[in-house]
Amino acid sequence: MDPEVSVLLHCAHWRGLQESRVQVELSDRFNRRTDPALEQHIDEVWTERVSKEPWLFNAAKFRLHSFCLASPKHPHSTNSSHDLSYDCAEDQDRGVCVTNRCLNQTEDAASSKCDCKKNITSDIPSHSSGSLLTLRLGLTCYKDYLGTNWSRSVAELRQRGEAEFSDPLALLAQPLGVGAVLCTHDGQVVFIRRSQKVAEAGGLLDIPGGHPEPKVVCERLGQAAGEDQIAVVMMEQRPEAVVSELFSSVCAEIRDEVNIPLSTLGAPVLMGVALNHTSAGRPSAEFYVSCSLTSDQVSKLYWKGGPEAHESTDVVFLSRMEVLQLDRSSALWSELCPSAKGAVLLYQTVTPDES
C-alpha cells in the first residue's frame, strides 16, 4: 500500500452505490472540538497563508465524523445490536459503524486495521428506504482545514485529541471532498494536471473533484446565508438535500474543471471513501461517472476552457485497462496526487463499470 493513501470504506459488493442508497445524519455533535488557543492558532495560520496566497478564500464544508455501512449478507440490517463490535472499515461482511477513531489510520498503518474496538449501541441510525450507507456529517470550513489538518502542529493536535477526547481527529477539520473517475465513451479515464498555483499537489495528475458545498444546500432550501453564517440547523431537517449535493457536486466539478456539459454525464456511482494521509487523513468520497463523449471530444472541450480552467494545465487520458493495472511499481504512479491514488484504488476494488 502507498503510505500517502488508504481506503476507509468501499462498496465493492454492490459495484458502488446510487444516490438512493446513501443517507446522511447531520448534527453539531459531529463538528470538531475546539478551544480559544486552537482558534487563535487557526487565525494565525490563515493570516500567514492568505498573505502568501491572496487568492485563497474561506468557505463552509461538511465534516466527515463517522459512517455506518450495511452488511453485504444482510443489506437491510439496521446494525443496531448492542453487542456488535468492529475493528475497522475493512471488516465489511457483517456491517460496520465506524467512528472518528477508526478514521485515524497513520501513514505507517495505512494498510493495516485499526486497533480500536468499541461496542455499537442503539444510537446507530437505521438504514431506511433501501439505503445501505449512512454518513455522519458536521460542519467545518477551509480556514479550519488549513489551520488543523495542514498545520505544522498537526501531530500535537492529534495527541491532544487522543488525550482529551480519546479521539486523535477530534480537533481536526476533516472536510469531506469528492472526486470522480470519469470514463469516456471510448473507454478512456480522464486525468488533469494540477496547476502550480493551487494550494495542494501542484503539478501532479489528479481526477476532477472538489467539495460538496453547504452554501449550495442552504440556497436550495431557501436559506441563503453568508459562508460564516451557515449552520447545521439550517439543513438538519432535510438531510436528503445534503445527499443530493454530495452526488451533484462531483458532476459540477467535472463541468467546471473539464468543461463537459452535465447532459453528457451519467448518474454518479459512489465507490467509497479514501483517506489522504499527506493532510492528516482528510477523507474524500470517490465516484465513478460515465460520459457519452469520446476522449477526443472531451479534449477539445477542455482546451476551450471552463470556469475553473486555471486550476489545471493539461488533460491526460489512460485506458480503463491501464488504470486497472496501475500500482506503486508503475512509472506514472509517482505523478498521481494522493486524491487520484485513492480514487484509482477504489476503482480497482469496486470495478463499477463491469457488467
Side-chain angles (χ1 to χ4, degrees), residues 125-144:
S126 62
H127 296 281
S128 60
S129 303
S131 65
L132 297 169
L133 173 65
T134 299
L135 299 175
R136 287 170 162 171
L137 303 178
L139 283 180
T140 185
C141 65
Y142 186 63
K143 173 183 174 181
D144 290 358

Side-chain angles (χ1 to χ4, degrees), residues 35 37-38 155-165 167 171:
D35 59 38
L38 177 54
E156 178 185 342
L157 292 177
R158 292 167 67 97
Q159 292 172 358
R160 280 188 54 200
E162 176 66 41
E164 297 175 21
F165 306 104
D167 174 9
L171 299 172

Side-chain angles (χ1 to χ4, degrees), residues 212-226:
E213 303 291 347
K215 184 175 183 179
V216 171
V217 177
C218 291
E219 289 173 348
R220 288 174 180 167
L221 296 177
Q223 300 273 358

Side-chain angles (χ1 to χ4, degrees), residues 194-211:
R194 294 173 64 83
S195 167
Q196 294 289 355
K197 288 189 175 182
V198 295
E200 300 176 46
L204 296 180
L205 287 177
D206 200 0
I207 56 172
H211 298 85

